[in-house]
Amino acid sequence: MTSASSESVTASRTSPPSRLRIEPCVLLKYGELALKRRNQQLFARHLVRNLRHAMARGNETPPKVQLRRRSGVLAVSAPPLSQAEIVARARDVIGLSVVQPVWRVAKSAAAAEVAAVQLLRERHDGGRTPTFAVRCRRRDRRFGLTSEQLAARIGARVCGELGWRVDLKHPDVELWVEVDWREIFLGVERYRGRGGLPVGSSGHALVLLSGGFDSPVAAYRAMRRGLRCDFLHCTGAPFTDPSSTYKAYALARQLSRFQPGSRLYVAAVGSAQRTLATSGAGEAQIVAQRRLYLRVADVLARRVGAQALVTGDSLGQVSSQTLANLAVAEEAASLPVLRPLLAFDKLEIIDEARQIGTAEISVLPDQDCCQLFQPPRVATHTTVGRLTDVEARAGMDTLVDNVLSHIQEFDLDSCGATAEAAPQEATTVKDQHTHQ
């Protein structure tokens, strides 16, 4: 340590800052993104874009987002949003492992001591005297004290001024102190982030979104692997009421918390389903319908630039999701069909639906298009040959074209906050996209 730095540390031990400047902010720590090397900046750009979108969501005047980038860490403030509001929004940003409200103070041991006492005093509810532990970490190894020395100094100051007792194994309160390159951060709360890769870093997918538990969770899982997702919902219109559309809209709105730029497409497939039924699909009707949905999704995905399809299939969960039937259905699509929930059981799916806030929507009643024209018995083992014969009689290409010509599109970032606004704010895809 140089003589200059020695003098600085000595002075900081004896002379607390006369005017301590404390800036509340939020520390965001990378998850899996931290493992990336040469292309980490690409992933970080997606993360920052998504973070700015999360801070601006629902605000007429976007907040002034201030980001300070450090090695594997972002320090964020976004006036006029409060620290608690920033924490709540950041916890929905995929790609972060830790969200931590902190105080930012000058880079000196004395400032850290004073701030620590003030922070812990403010957090104390006035009950019994709690135990505490100080956890220090130095990103700047040039700082004049080791992590252990700084923790000891802060701990001694807290014991002396507040009378709290140290318990390093099972403390009531943990004080986290991080020495960065230009400042020191202190906090007593740490929240687990969503983890995964930043949305958009792995490409663009189209999710086949039903009104059940499975497909919204599959969409969330796909987002956590870095896919930006648009949504396609198939409704049984004109043979069903609009309840499933409102439900899909509500689900897509809930999922849009996790990504910017969400779009929902609604396709009326009831007439096409009836044509398949009258063309002799019989026990294979459900699989024939699934091939119809995938064909529509495949064409739509190419129009909107998506590179894969995502479904909520879980192997063996229902008759149409046997290995044989999944293979027959997938043959109808030219794009990859991703199934994030393939090995999940139903209880695991429902638990995750509760965690992401879609379960309470999925339980609402609606008229599901999959129940239309359902045969008394569903085949568990169909073949491509059998279904291509049915499709030839039904004129599948014409059916798909008819469905796509009337598809509706909802921009979930610009739509109102309630599902009731959805029908008035839809546009037809044919007005905005050309067939590729």
Side-chain angles (χ1 to χ4, degrees):
M1 185 166 60
T2 65
S3 59
S5 61
S6 298
E7 292 173 3
S8 174
V9 171
T10 302
S12 69
R13 289 175 180 171
T14 58
S15 306
S18 58
R19 184 180 296 175
L20 180 63
R21 183 172 182 270
I22 295 174
E23 178 188 340
C25 62
V26 178
L27 276 189
L28 307 176
K29 299 185 178 180
Y30 297 164
E32 194 173 341
L33 173 56
L35 302 177
K36 305 300 179 182
R37 296 301 180 191
R38 288 180 297 178
N39 57 350
Q40 186 180 98
Q41 289 303 313
L42 172 65
F43 288 85
R45 283 197 296 272
H46 286 285
L47 179 62
V48 169
R49 182 201 62 181
N50 298 340
L51 183 62
R52 290 186 182 278
H53 175 267
M55 295 301 121
R57 189 177 63 240
N59 293 79
E60 291 184 6
T61 302
K64 185 178 180 181
V65 180
Q66 300 171 348
L67 296 174
R68 300 181 183 90
R69 296 195 192 191
R70 303 293 185 262
S71 177
V73 176
L74 291 171
V76 181
S77 57
L81 295 182
S82 68
Q83 190 180 47
E85 288 175 311
I86 296 173
V87 168
R89 292 171 184 238
R91 292 182 71 184
D92 281 338
V93 176
I94 292 172
L96 298 171
S97 64
V98 174
V99 178
Q100 186 175 9
V102 295
W103 283 2
R104 175 177 177 261
V105 299
K107 189 180 176 182
S108 76
E113 291 176 38
V114 174
V117 171
Q118 185 173 334
L119 178 61
L120 294 178
R121 181 181 284 123
E122 289 188 8
R123 294 299 187 272
H124 186 34
D125 60 7
R128 70 174 182 84
T129 301
T131 60
F132 78 104
V134 181
R135 317 292 192 196
C136 282
R137 179 189 177 191
R138 295 179 306 157
R139 271 185 286 277
D140 182 4
R141 299 288 181 176
R142 300 169 302 173
F143 188 68
L145 298 174
T146 66
S147 297
E148 292 77 11
Q149 289 170 335
L150 181 58
R153 284 190 52 178
I154 293 174
R157 185 72 172 263
V158 171
C159 290
E161 294 201 21
L162 300 181
W164 292 18
R165 183 171 57 85
V166 174
D167 183 347
L168 297 180
K169 291 186 176 180
H170 305 289
D172 297 319
V173 178
E174 287 184 289
L175 174 65
W176 305 89
V177 181
E178 300 195 15
V179 180
D180 213 297
W181 299 101
R182 299 186 184 91
E183 62 268 293
I184 294 178
F185 299 105
L186 303 95
V188 293
E189 298 168 300
R190 288 164 65 96
Y191 300 99
R192 185 174 180 178
R194 294 281 172 184
L197 297 174
V199 171
S201 61
S202 295
H204 180 193
L206 181 66
V207 179
L208 281 77
L209 183 69
S210 71
F213 291 103
D214 302 348
S215 55
V217 175
Y220 172 70
R221 284 271 159 180
M223 291 177 190
R224 289 188 71 245
R225 299 316 305 156
L227 286 171
R228 185 178 72 79
C229 294
D230 287 326
F231 309 100
L232 169 64
H233 175 69
C234 293
T235 171
F239 304 112
T240 57
D241 64 26
S243 58
S244 74
T245 299
Y246 288 118
K247 190 173 178 181
Y249 182 84
L251 287 168
R253 286 281 295 181
Q254 179 69 7
L255 291 167
S256 69
R257 293 162 44 213
F258 306 118
Q259 65 172 20
S262 300
R263 292 181 179 273
L264 169 67
Y265 301 91
V266 177
V269 297
S271 296
Q273 289 178 252
R274 182 177 63 177
T275 301
L276 290 171
T278 58
S279 298
E283 293 181 354
Q285 174 71 20
I286 299 299
V287 182
Q289 292 177 175
R290 292 175 65 84
R291 284 173 61 88
L292 168 67
Y293 308 154
L294 285 169
R295 281 179 178 267
V296 171
D298 195 71
V299 177
L300 177 62
R302 293 184 182 280
R303 291 186 183 183
V304 301
Q307 301 144 302
L309 307 178
V310 176
T311 72
D313 295 325
S314 175
L315 185 61
Q317 186 181 108
V318 293
S319 299
S320 62
Q321 293 176 4
T322 62
L323 187 58
N325 284 346
L326 290 177
V328 170
E330 183 171 344
E331 191 273 340
S334 61
L335 290 174
V337 179
L338 309 180
R339 298 182 174 93
L341 307 184
L342 193 69
F344 280 52
D345 67 34
K346 196 67 176 183
L347 292 179
E348 291 173 323
I349 295 170
I350 293 174
D351 284 345
E352 187 147 332
R354 292 193 181 105
Q355 293 170 21
I356 64 175
T358 58
E360 55 267 34
I361 302 171
S362 294
V363 297
L364 297 174
D366 70 311
Q367 293 187 359
D368 181 11
C369 69
C370 293
Q371 305 303 316
L372 282 177
F373 313 108
Q374 181 171 334
R377 179 181 175 185
V378 177
T380 58
H381 191 288
T382 54
T383 64
V384 172
R386 177 183 176 184
L387 286 172
T388 53
D389 288 343
V390 172
E391 291 167 357
R393 291 193 294 271
M396 179 62 85
D397 291 342
T398 301
L399 295 180
V400 171
D401 287 341
N402 288 340
V403 170
L404 288 166
S405 67
H406 296 94
I407 204 165
Q408 289 183 301
E409 175 182 355
F410 303 92
D411 182 346
L412 298 173
D413 279 352
S414 63
C415 287
T418 62
E420 286 73 9
Q424 288 73 36
E425 294 171 342
T427 58
T428 56
V429 177
K430 64 180 181 180
D431 293 334
Q432 300 189 12
H433 302 284
T434 57
H435 198 295
Q436 295 181 352

